[in-house]
Each structure stands twice: as structure tokens, then as C-alpha cells.
């Protein structure tokens, strides 16, 4: 008789997450495995991932760091998890996102489902008709500097699911493989821009440190 798993995660949840990751495509992680290569042993790979997730034995691989050019000529660092890690992150995102979405500010548009930059521009155009000032700002290195303790405090405000909290903490503390092959350990801050779960976590962090703050002083 198969021993019961400590965490209740269905195989269907893993399957659905895989289909979403496949649709999003993306480059290979530190193991060099592409989605096409992952699919060569799809049933075996998905079962192995489900088994590790539901048993609590899942540990993420290091995140592969790459740099892409920005419009201003500078470089933007991206962290690319492995295919298996992207699927695992999607499982958690699918659990957490429906709980967080109703909490977010109605004027928040970045990295949110069914919202776009065009909608944000349209909203700004409406506001310009009745407000004669604007604040333009950019947070330097935002993804790389999110405080882990404050972020986890925000996550715990919305869920007490043990495995969701456990795996988010493991992703936040996963080492980063630099472009020269060396490993860098996160020192209590940062979530790789390029990870599946990172945009949702970034929005949650901004919800409390900026959106709610602006509402209070408005």
C-alpha cells in the first residue's frame, strides 16, 4: 500500500501547470534541458515532480542567470529556472494567484492576468483629464532587492498552506548560477526576474509597500 503524502497536490494540478509552461515556452535552465527534451519522458518527469512536491522532498535547482539588453543600452539580469522548476512554480502560482488578485489595487496593471500596458496607458489618459500633475518613477533593481522577510510576511497574510510557504521560501533562497559558472547565494533579498512565480510575488510586495501606502497618503 502506497504511503500517504504529507502534502495534498493532485497530479492534475501538475499536468495543468506543465501545459501552461509549455505554452509560455522559454529557454533551458542550468541543466540544459529544453521543454522538448523534458517531453521525451513526459509521464516519468511529471510523476517524479509530483512525487517530490507532494512528499516535501522537492528542492529547486540553481537559477541560470542571463542578461538581455534594455532599450537604454544597459543590461537586464534574468533568472531562468529549469523546466521542472517552472512547472512547480506554476502549480503554486495557480493556487496563490486567485487568492491575491482580488486584493490588488484596481490601478495595478503589471504582470496581471487579463491586464495590459495598453490598458494602463488608457487609464493614465483618463486621469490626465482631471489631474494636472504626474509622478514618474522607476525602482532600480526591484526584483533583485525584494526583502525576503517582508515578502514572506505578506505571503503568510494570505495563505497558511504549508507546502506553498515551504516552496516559495526554497525558491527565494535557491542559488543563482552566474554567467561565468559560479554560484551566488541570495543574501535575504531578491526573486529572479524570469521565474514563473516572481511577478506575482513582486506584485504582492508592491501592493503593501507602495499601493497601500499611496492610498493611505492620498
Amino acid at each position: 500500500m502506497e504511503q500517504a503524502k504529507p502534502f495534498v497536490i493532485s497530479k492534475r494540478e501538475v499536468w495543468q501547470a506543465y501545459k501552461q509552461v509549455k505554452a509560455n515556452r522559454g529557454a533551458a535552465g542550468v541543466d540544459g534541458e529544453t521543454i522538448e527534451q523534458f517531453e521525451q519522458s513526459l509521464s516519468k518527469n511529471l510523476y517524479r515532480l509530483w512525487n517530490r512536491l507532494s512528499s516535501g522532498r522537492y528542492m529547486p535547482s540553481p537559477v541560470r542567470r542571463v542578461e538581455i539588453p534594455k532599450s537604454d543600452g544597459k543590461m537586464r539580469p534574468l533568472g531562468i529556472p529549469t523546466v521542472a522548476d517552472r512547472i512547480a512554480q506554476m502549480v503554486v502560482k495557480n493556487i496563490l494567484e486567485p487568492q491575491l488578485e482580488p486584493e490588488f489595487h484596481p490601478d495595478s496593471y503589471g504582470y496581471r492576468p487579463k491586464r495590459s500596458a495598453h490598458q494602463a496607458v488608457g487609464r493614465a489618459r483618463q486621469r490626465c483629464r482631471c489631474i494636472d500633475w504626474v509622478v514618474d518613477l522607476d525602482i532600480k533593481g526591484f526584483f533583485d532587492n525584494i526583502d525576503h522577510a517582508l515578502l514572506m510576511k505578506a505571503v503568510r497574510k494570505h495563505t497558511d498552506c504549508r507546502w506553498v510557504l515551504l516552496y516559495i521560501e526554497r525558491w527565494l533562497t535557491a542559488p543563482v548560477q552566474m554567467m561565468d559558472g559560479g554560484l551566488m547565494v541570495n543574501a535575504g533579498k531578491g526573486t529572479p526576474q524570469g521565474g514563473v512565480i516572481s511577478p506575482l510575488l513582486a506584485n504582492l510586495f508592491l501592493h503593501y509597500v507602495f499601493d497601500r501606502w499611496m492610498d493611505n497618503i492620498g
Side-chain angles (χ1 to χ4, degrees), residues 93 95-106 108-115 158 199-200 203-204 207:
K93 180 184 177 184
I95 294 292
L96 198 56
E97 190 170 62
Q99 302 176 44
L100 298 182
E101 267 296 310
E103 305 291 332
F104 289 155
H105 198 283
S108 169
Y109 289 91
Y111 304 112
R112 294 184 61 187
K114 300 180 180 179
R115 288 179 171 241
H158 296 278
L200 180 61
N203 273 341
L204 178 61
H207 172 70

Side-chain angles (χ1 to χ4, degrees), residues 6 10 15 58-59 83 100 105 111 118 122 126 145 158 169 180 204 214:
S10 72
W15 171 254
Y58 166 76
M59 294 293 295
V83 173
L100 298 182
H105 198 283
Y111 304 112
H118 292 292
Q126 292 175 351
N145 291 286
H158 296 278
E169 288 184 324
D180 61 4
L204 178 61
M214 289 294 290

Side-chain angles (χ1 to χ4, degrees), residues 2-217:
E2 186 175 345
Q3 186 177 0
K5 305 293 185 183
F7 300 137
V8 180
I9 303 172
S10 72
K11 296 175 183 176
R12 180 176 292 275
E13 288 174 309
V14 177
W15 171 254
Q16 179 61 37
Y18 150 71
K19 291 194 294 183
Q20 292 171 273
V21 168
K22 179 180 180 179
N24 293 336
R25 302 190 64 79
V30 294
D31 58 1
E33 185 177 52
T34 63
I35 293 177
E36 291 75 19
Q37 291 170 326
F38 184 89
E39 290 177 326
Q40 291 177 7
S41 300
L42 183 59
S43 295
K44 179 181 177 181
N45 286 332
L46 291 180
Y47 178 84
R48 180 185 299 154
L49 179 59
W50 167 80
N51 188 48
R52 291 163 58 205
L53 287 169
S54 57
S55 67
R57 292 186 292 106
Y58 166 76
M59 294 293 295
S61 299
V63 175
R64 182 169 74 92
R65 186 181 181 116
V66 299
E67 292 186 346
I68 61 172
K70 298 169 61 176
S71 58
D72 60 4
K74 297 180 181 179
M75 304 299 289
R76 182 190 307 278
L78 291 182
I80 304 177
T82 64
V83 173
D85 288 337
R86 295 206 296 272
I87 295 172
Q89 290 188 19
M90 187 66 78
V91 171
V92 171
K93 180 184 177 184
N94 289 341
I95 294 292
L96 198 56
E97 190 170 62
Q99 302 176 44
L100 298 182
E101 267 296 310
E103 305 291 332
F104 289 155
H105 198 283
D107 285 349
S108 169
Y109 289 91
Y111 304 112
R112 294 184 61 187
K114 300 180 180 179
R115 288 179 171 241
S116 68
H118 292 292
Q119 291 174 313
V121 171
R123 186 64 167 170
R125 184 179 295 114
Q126 292 175 351
R127 291 288 174 82
C128 287
R129 295 170 182 167
C130 56
I131 300 175
D132 58 3
W133 57 270
V134 63
V135 176
D136 182 20
L137 59 87
D138 181 41
I139 304 175
K140 183 178 180 180
F142 173 58
F143 279 82
D144 290 336
N145 291 286
I146 294 177
D147 184 278
H148 289 174
L150 292 177
L151 175 58
M152 290 308 302
K153 182 178 180 181
V155 174
R156 291 189 183 96
K157 183 177 176 64
H158 296 278
T159 183
D160 59 359
C161 180
R162 288 173 53 217
W163 62 270
V164 167
L165 296 172
L166 173 66
Y167 294 142
I168 289 177
E169 288 184 324
R170 289 182 181 177
W171 289 320
L172 290 177
T173 57
V176 176
Q177 185 184 72
M178 307 302 288
M179 297 179 66
D180 61 4
L183 291 179
M184 180 184 72
V185 178
N186 291 320
K189 64 179 183 179
T191 179
Q193 187 172 2
V196 170
I197 196 70
S198 294
L200 180 61
L201 297 179
N203 273 341
L204 178 61
F205 190 82
L206 275 179
H207 172 70
Y208 285 106
V209 303
F210 185 75
D211 294 343
R212 291 282 296 272
W213 175 63
M214 289 294 290
D215 275 345
N216 290 335
I217 67 174

